[in-house]
Structure formats: structure tokens, C-alpha cells
Amino acid sequence: MTLFEPIKVGAVQLQHRVVLAPMTRLRNDENNVPTELVVEYYRQRANPGGLLITEGGKISDKAGGFPHVPGFYTEQQIEAWRKVTQAVHEKGGYIFAQIWHGGRAGSSLYLDNKPPLAPSPIAAVDRINAFTGKPYEVPRETTKDDIQDIIQQYATAAKDAIKAGFDGVELHGANGFLIHQFLSSSANQRTDEYGGSIPNRARFALQVVDAVIEAVGAERTGIRLSPWGGEEGDVTDGDTTYETYSYLLKQLNPKGIAYVHFVEPRDDFIRETVDLVNSLDPFRDIWQGPFISAGGYTTHPESIAARAKETGDLVAVGRAYIANPDLVDRLKNDWPLNKYKRDTFYAQGAEGYTDYPFYAKA
Ligand SMILES: Cc1cc2nc3c(=O)[nH]c(=O)nc-3n(C[C@H](O)[C@H](O)[C@H](O)COP(=O)(O)O)c2cc1C
């Protein structure tokens, strides 16, 4: 397999395997509505037969509360997203919406002074909340009614995303947010059927998947997971990581979803610090559908191609796709890459967002 061989993902026939990784860029307005700049950003990165995944967008106004991230729950948001999906489709591309609940990584500052919800009342450790500059708060433990309510919010957001013209949705089950918190034995210390054993910890994720499948169809449903990637606090699983995620994949296999999307076990996304102990390979072996992997593939562009050839995976690219709107053409033609500027990852305005140059042939 090479990076430039076609592959079918859900209902979508892709022409190659380079995917825009989901990336929060904070260019949405104060009502979590994508701006014209957001439309332009995705238009620039759209390409024939290529898949884009949006930044994480809230499934409801209660899903965490982060300023300037988008949402998938108001009419205004859906109308604005429609412009994005149209722009991408006009260029022959495809786009999935990443739907997100922050769980304990949220902040009461943006939740009407109410604490964020999480599987257990345990604050995320090790990190300052990047959105508030303060330590993470102790969340409130979700009741079973809360859980049912949140599952419904995922389903409704998925339906709204499809109404906005998306080709599918990706459940954000990675990076220490709500679904990941339920999967983790450190963040989830419940004693009911949503905590404890591996099947119990996986129950929430699987119920969300089922609800979203019912809402929009399996071929429009994907999920992102990061077994070792607890960016937002400690979401480890003791020594049961392989077992937890293997169980989850075995349960997901018969559901026939569009794809699973795994984040590589790498420190700080830097290829030079490859985690040599852990590997996604056992999960590649279990999974029977399209497998997207992400993380650190672009430090050396040739490593993307090598990895895809080795594994047959689709490869999602983050930082290099920020800096190279025409990344796919550059990889195909072996053109040099622009360097990304970290200080504008989470800024406002066009700088470092829509002003990266396309490759100009001399
Ligand atoms: C600015 C920025 C924002 C990100 N936001 C998200 C996000 O909203 N959802 C998500 O699943 N991952 C997010 N990530 C992680 C990326 O999707 C990707 O896994 C990571 O950048 C590693 O890939 P790379 O080495 O190609 O950059 C973000 C990464 C960056 C750099």
C-alpha cells in the first residue's frame, strides 16, 4: 500500500490516505459559530478525494465550555458549518466533524458556575487547564440520568452535523476528554456498571457509538482513541491499556463503523521521542476496517509514506497540515514543507491560520 492508493471509508471513496487531523484553532466566534475565516481554512486544505476532520466541536452548551471552539448544537452553528462542508465538497473533498464533550477538562467559568461533569469526582492532574490558566477543577460525578442525557446529546449533535452536510462524525474519544475519562481506570472509579471492569469502563463509549450509529448510520461514524495520550490529565489504565482497547475494538468490529483513528504513543508529538515500549500494532491486528493513525509523522515527510506503506493505514497529519494548506500536493510531488508557528496555533485572526503560502514553483 502507498499513501496515494484509494481506499473506501464508510460511504466515502477516498483517492489517497492523507487526512487532516482534528485540530482546535479557536477561530470561531463567541457563540461557538464558525467564522468566514474558518470556512477559508478548510477550503484551503480541501483536496480531491481527501478526508478532512474538523477541530473538536461541542455536542451541547453543557459539553465543557471552551471559548472560541465551535459547536454542533445551534441553528447558527449548523448554518455556518454548511458553508464549510460546501466549500470542501466543491473541491472534491470529504469532511467529518469531530464531536466532543470535555468532561472534567471543562471549567465552571464557562458552565454557568457549575462544575464540569466526569465519571468520578477526581480532578485531572499534572496540567493547568489551558483555557483558564488555572488548575483543573474537581468535577461532579455524572448520575445515570446525566449519562443518558449526554448520550442523547452526542446523537443529536451527530444528526445536526449531517444536516450541515458533513460526510460523517468522529467521536472524540482521545486526549483525556469525556469518553477517554470513562475508559480510564484512574479517572473512572465508579462502582456501578460504568466503572471497574474493562467492559464496564468501555460501556459509555459503546453506548455513545450505538446511539450515534442509530442517529446517522455506521458508515458515517468514526471514533478517535489515544490509549497512551492523556493530554488533559491522568487518564491511564494501570497496566490494562492493551486489554481495555482490545476489548473495545472487538466490540466495535461487528458494528461496521467507518473507521477507528488512533493517536500514536509518542511524547509531546515529537518523533524523536518515539515511545519504544508501546505500539498500536496489536490494535491494527484486531481492527477489521479502515485504520487512521496520527502523531509525529511529518518531522521527516518520507516517514509518512514509509509508515503508510508498512501498515496500509490512513495517516492523519496535524501540525504540518496547519502550515501547509497544500500538504497533499507537497507530499505527492516531494515539495518542501513550510514550518509551522506554534504561537499562532491557538490565536485569533488570519495570522498563522489562513496565511500559510501554497507551494510556488520557481
Ligand atoms: C493546535 C492543535 C490542536 C489540536 N486539537 C485537537 C482536537 O481538537 N482534537 C483532537 O483529537 N486532537 C487535537 N490535536 C492533536 C492532533 O490531532 C494530532 O494528533 C497531533 O497534532 C499529532 O499529529 P502531528 O504530529 O502530525 O502534529 C491538536 C493538535 C494541535 C497541534
Side-chain angles (χ1 to χ4, degrees), residues 21-25 55-56 98 172 175 224 231 263 269 294-298 316-319 322 345-346:
M23 280 181 293
T24 298
R25 306 300 315 279
E55 61 212 276
Q98 190 183 57
H172 194 345
N175 298 349
R224 188 172 220 221
E231 275 176 73
V263 182
F269 307 149
Y297 291 143
T298 49
V317 180
R319 292 160 301 169
I322 287 179
F345 279 176
Y346 300 110

Short mmCIF file of all heavy atoms in Angstrom, two decimals, residues 21-25 55-56 98 172 175 224 231 263 269 294-298 316-319 322 345-346, ligand 1:
data_model
loop_
_atom_site.label_atom_id
_atom_site.label_comp_id
_atom_site.label_asym_id
_atom_site.label_seq_id
_atom_site.Cartn_x
_atom_site.Cartn_y
_atom_site.Cartn_z
N ALA A 21 -5.77 15.99 10.42
CA ALA A 21 -6.08 15.62 11.81
C ALA A 21 -6.96 16.68 12.44
O ALA A 21 -6.88 17.86 12.09
CB ALA A 21 -4.79 15.47 12.61
N PRO A 22 -7.80 16.27 13.38
CA PRO A 22 -8.65 17.25 14.07
C PRO A 22 -7.80 18.21 14.90
O PRO A 22 -6.96 17.77 15.67
CB PRO A 22 -9.52 16.38 14.99
CG PRO A 22 -8.74 15.12 15.19
CD PRO A 22 -7.98 14.92 13.92
N MET A 23 -8.00 19.51 14.71
CA MET A 23 -7.19 20.48 15.47
C MET A 23 -7.97 21.73 15.87
O MET A 23 -8.44 22.48 15.02
CB MET A 23 -5.96 20.87 14.66
CG MET A 23 -4.87 19.81 14.77
SD MET A 23 -3.43 20.27 13.85
CE MET A 23 -4.07 20.20 12.20
N THR A 24 -8.04 21.92 17.16
CA THR A 24 -8.64 23.11 17.76
C THR A 24 -7.81 24.33 17.37
O THR A 24 -6.61 24.34 17.57
CB THR A 24 -8.63 22.94 19.30
OG1 THR A 24 -9.42 21.81 19.61
CG2 THR A 24 -9.16 24.17 20.00
N ARG A 25 -8.47 25.35 16.81
CA ARG A 25 -7.71 26.53 16.38
C ARG A 25 -8.30 27.84 16.93
O ARG A 25 -7.77 28.91 16.68
CB ARG A 25 -7.65 26.58 14.83
CG ARG A 25 -7.12 25.33 14.14
CD ARG A 25 -5.69 24.96 14.55
NE ARG A 25 -4.81 26.09 14.57
CZ ARG A 25 -4.21 26.61 13.48
NH1 ARG A 25 -4.39 26.06 12.30
NH2 ARG A 25 -3.41 27.65 13.57
N GLU A 55 -11.74 20.33 13.74
CA GLU A 55 -11.43 20.54 15.14
C GLU A 55 -12.56 20.00 16.00
O GLU A 55 -13.70 19.89 15.54
CB GLU A 55 -11.30 22.04 15.36
CG GLU A 55 -12.58 22.81 15.05
CD GLU A 55 -12.33 24.21 14.51
OE1 GLU A 55 -12.13 25.13 15.31
OE2 GLU A 55 -12.35 24.36 13.27
N GLY A 56 -12.26 19.67 17.26
CA GLY A 56 -13.31 19.22 18.17
C GLY A 56 -14.36 20.30 18.35
O GLY A 56 -14.04 21.47 18.55
N GLN A 98 -15.59 16.38 14.14
CA GLN A 98 -15.21 15.75 15.41
C GLN A 98 -16.13 16.27 16.51
O GLN A 98 -16.15 17.47 16.80
CB GLN A 98 -13.76 16.03 15.78
CG GLN A 98 -13.34 15.15 16.97
CD GLN A 98 -11.93 15.39 17.48
OE1 GLN A 98 -11.58 16.50 17.84
NE2 GLN A 98 -11.12 14.34 17.51
N HIS A 172 -14.91 12.09 19.64
CA HIS A 172 -13.62 12.39 20.24
C HIS A 172 -13.46 11.55 21.51
O HIS A 172 -13.93 11.92 22.59
CB HIS A 172 -13.53 13.88 20.56
CG HIS A 172 -12.15 14.36 20.88
ND1 HIS A 172 -11.11 13.49 21.17
CD2 HIS A 172 -11.62 15.60 20.95
CE1 HIS A 172 -10.01 14.20 21.41
NE2 HIS A 172 -10.30 15.48 21.27
N ASN A 175 -7.34 11.86 24.08
CA ASN A 175 -6.69 13.04 24.71
C ASN A 175 -7.24 13.46 26.06
O ASN A 175 -7.14 14.61 26.45
CB ASN A 175 -6.72 14.24 23.74
CG ASN A 175 -5.94 13.95 22.47
OD1 ASN A 175 -5.23 12.95 22.41
ND2 ASN A 175 -6.06 14.80 21.47
N ARG A 224 -12.11 8.42 17.58
CA ARG A 224 -10.68 8.65 17.83
C ARG A 224 -10.31 8.23 19.25
O ARG A 224 -11.03 8.54 20.19
CB ARG A 224 -10.34 10.13 17.64
CG ARG A 224 -8.84 10.37 17.69
CD ARG A 224 -8.48 11.80 17.32
NE ARG A 224 -7.29 11.80 16.48
CZ ARG A 224 -6.30 12.68 16.60
NH1 ARG A 224 -6.34 13.63 17.50
NH2 ARG A 224 -5.25 12.61 15.81
N GLU A 231 -3.47 13.85 27.21
CA GLU A 231 -3.02 15.25 27.27
C GLU A 231 -3.65 16.01 28.42
O GLU A 231 -3.01 16.80 29.08
CB GLU A 231 -3.42 15.97 25.98
CG GLU A 231 -2.45 15.80 24.86
CD GLU A 231 -3.03 16.49 23.65
OE1 GLU A 231 -3.03 17.72 23.65
OE2 GLU A 231 -3.49 15.79 22.74
N VAL A 263 -4.18 7.65 18.05
CA VAL A 263 -3.02 8.53 18.21
C VAL A 263 -1.84 7.66 18.66
O VAL A 263 -1.97 6.87 19.58
CB VAL A 263 -3.30 9.63 19.26
CG1 VAL A 263 -2.11 10.57 19.38
CG2 VAL A 263 -4.56 10.41 18.90
N PHE A 269 4.20 14.65 20.86
CA PHE A 269 4.04 14.62 19.40
C PHE A 269 5.37 14.73 18.66
O PHE A 269 5.40 15.12 17.50
CB PHE A 269 3.17 15.77 18.87
CG PHE A 269 1.83 15.91 19.52
CD1 PHE A 269 1.26 17.15 19.64
CD2 PHE A 269 1.15 14.80 19.98
CE1 PHE A 269 0.01 17.29 20.22
CE2 PHE A 269 -0.09 14.94 20.56
CZ PHE A 269 -0.65 16.20 20.69
N ALA A 294 -2.22 8.71 13.77
CA ALA A 294 -1.75 10.11 13.78
C ALA A 294 -0.65 10.26 14.80
O ALA A 294 -0.59 9.53 15.78
CB ALA A 294 -2.89 11.04 14.16
N GLY A 295 0.21 11.23 14.53
CA GLY A 295 1.18 11.59 15.56
C GLY A 295 2.61 11.50 15.11
O GLY A 295 3.18 10.42 15.01
N GLY A 296 3.19 12.64 14.80
CA GLY A 296 4.63 12.72 14.60
C GLY A 296 5.13 12.18 13.27
O GLY A 296 6.32 11.89 13.15
N TYR A 297 4.26 12.10 12.28
CA TYR A 297 4.73 11.52 11.02
C TYR A 297 5.43 12.50 10.09
O TYR A 297 5.96 12.10 9.06
CB TYR A 297 3.55 10.91 10.25
CG TYR A 297 2.99 9.67 10.91
CD1 TYR A 297 1.63 9.42 10.90
CD2 TYR A 297 3.81 8.74 11.53
CE1 TYR A 297 1.09 8.29 11.49
CE2 TYR A 297 3.29 7.61 12.13
CZ TYR A 297 1.93 7.39 12.11
OH TYR A 297 1.41 6.28 12.70
N THR A 298 5.39 13.80 10.42
CA THR A 298 5.86 14.74 9.41
C THR A 298 7.20 15.40 9.72
O THR A 298 7.64 16.27 8.99
CB THR A 298 4.84 15.87 9.18
OG1 THR A 298 4.47 16.38 10.45
CG2 THR A 298 3.65 15.36 8.43
N ALA A 316 -3.22 10.59 9.55
CA ALA A 316 -3.72 11.94 9.83
C ALA A 316 -2.55 12.82 10.23
O ALA A 316 -1.73 12.43 11.04
CB ALA A 316 -4.76 11.90 10.94
N VAL A 317 -2.50 13.99 9.62
CA VAL A 317 -1.38 14.90 9.86
C VAL A 317 -1.91 16.16 10.55
O VAL A 317 -2.89 16.76 10.10
CB VAL A 317 -0.68 15.26 8.54
CG1 VAL A 317 0.48 16.22 8.81
CG2 VAL A 317 -0.17 14.00 7.85
N GLY A 318 -1.23 16.54 11.62
CA GLY A 318 -1.65 17.71 12.37
C GLY A 318 -0.85 18.94 12.00
O GLY A 318 -1.19 19.68 11.07
N ARG A 319 0.24 19.16 12.74
CA ARG A 319 0.95 20.43 12.65
C ARG A 319 1.42 20.77 11.24
O ARG A 319 1.35 21.93 10.82
CB ARG A 319 2.11 20.42 13.63
CG ARG A 319 1.63 20.42 15.08
CD ARG A 319 2.69 19.92 16.01
NE ARG A 319 3.10 18.56 15.66
CZ ARG A 319 4.14 17.96 16.18
NH1 ARG A 319 4.91 18.58 17.04
NH2 ARG A 319 4.44 16.71 15.81
N ILE A 322 -1.34 22.26 9.33
CA ILE A 322 -1.59 23.66 9.69
C ILE A 322 -0.76 24.56 8.79
O ILE A 322 -1.24 25.55 8.23
CB ILE A 322 -1.22 23.91 11.18
CG1 ILE A 322 -2.24 23.27 12.11
CG2 ILE A 322 -1.09 25.42 11.45
CD1 ILE A 322 -1.92 23.45 13.60
N PHE A 345 -0.97 28.69 16.96
CA PHE A 345 -1.88 27.53 16.94
C PHE A 345 -3.24 27.91 17.51
O PHE A 345 -4.27 27.57 16.96
CB PHE A 345 -1.31 26.39 17.80
CG PHE A 345 -0.25 25.55 17.14
CD1 PHE A 345 0.40 24.54 17.86
CD2 PHE A 345 0.11 25.74 15.82
CE1 PHE A 345 1.36 23.74 17.27
CE2 PHE A 345 1.08 24.94 15.21
CZ PHE A 345 1.72 23.95 15.95
N TYR A 346 -3.21 28.55 18.68
CA TYR A 346 -4.45 28.84 19.40
C TYR A 346 -4.71 30.35 19.49
O TYR A 346 -5.11 30.84 20.53
CB TYR A 346 -4.39 28.27 20.82
CG TYR A 346 -4.21 26.78 20.89
CD1 TYR A 346 -3.02 26.22 21.34
CD2 TYR A 346 -5.24 25.92 20.53
CE1 TYR A 346 -2.86 24.85 21.43
CE2 TYR A 346 -5.08 24.54 20.61
CZ TYR A 346 -3.88 24.01 21.06
OH TYR A 346 -3.73 22.66 21.14
C1 LIG B 1 -3.08 23.10 17.64
C2 LIG B 1 -3.52 21.68 17.88
C3 LIG B 1 -4.84 21.44 18.23
C4 LIG B 1 -5.29 20.12 18.41
N1 LIG B 1 -6.63 19.90 18.67
C5 LIG B 1 -7.12 18.63 18.66
C6 LIG B 1 -8.53 18.39 18.71
O1 LIG B 1 -9.38 19.31 18.71
N2 LIG B 1 -8.93 17.10 18.70
C7 LIG B 1 -8.05 16.05 18.68
O2 LIG B 1 -8.47 14.89 18.67
N3 LIG B 1 -6.71 16.25 18.60
C8 LIG B 1 -6.23 17.52 18.57
N4 LIG B 1 -4.88 17.72 18.40
C9 LIG B 1 -3.97 16.57 18.14
C10 LIG B 1 -3.78 16.34 16.63
O3 LIG B 1 -4.98 15.87 16.03
C11 LIG B 1 -2.66 15.31 16.31
O4 LIG B 1 -2.97 14.08 16.89
C12 LIG B 1 -1.32 15.79 16.82
O5 LIG B 1 -1.05 17.12 16.38
C13 LIG B 1 -0.17 14.88 16.36
O6 LIG B 1 -0.02 14.89 14.96
P1 LIG B 1 1.20 15.70 14.26
O7 LIG B 1 2.46 15.14 14.83
O8 LIG B 1 1.03 15.39 12.81
O9 LIG B 1 1.02 17.14 14.60
C14 LIG B 1 -4.39 19.03 18.26
C15 LIG B 1 -3.06 19.30 17.94
C16 LIG B 1 -2.61 20.59 17.73
C17 LIG B 1 -1.18 20.83 17.33
#
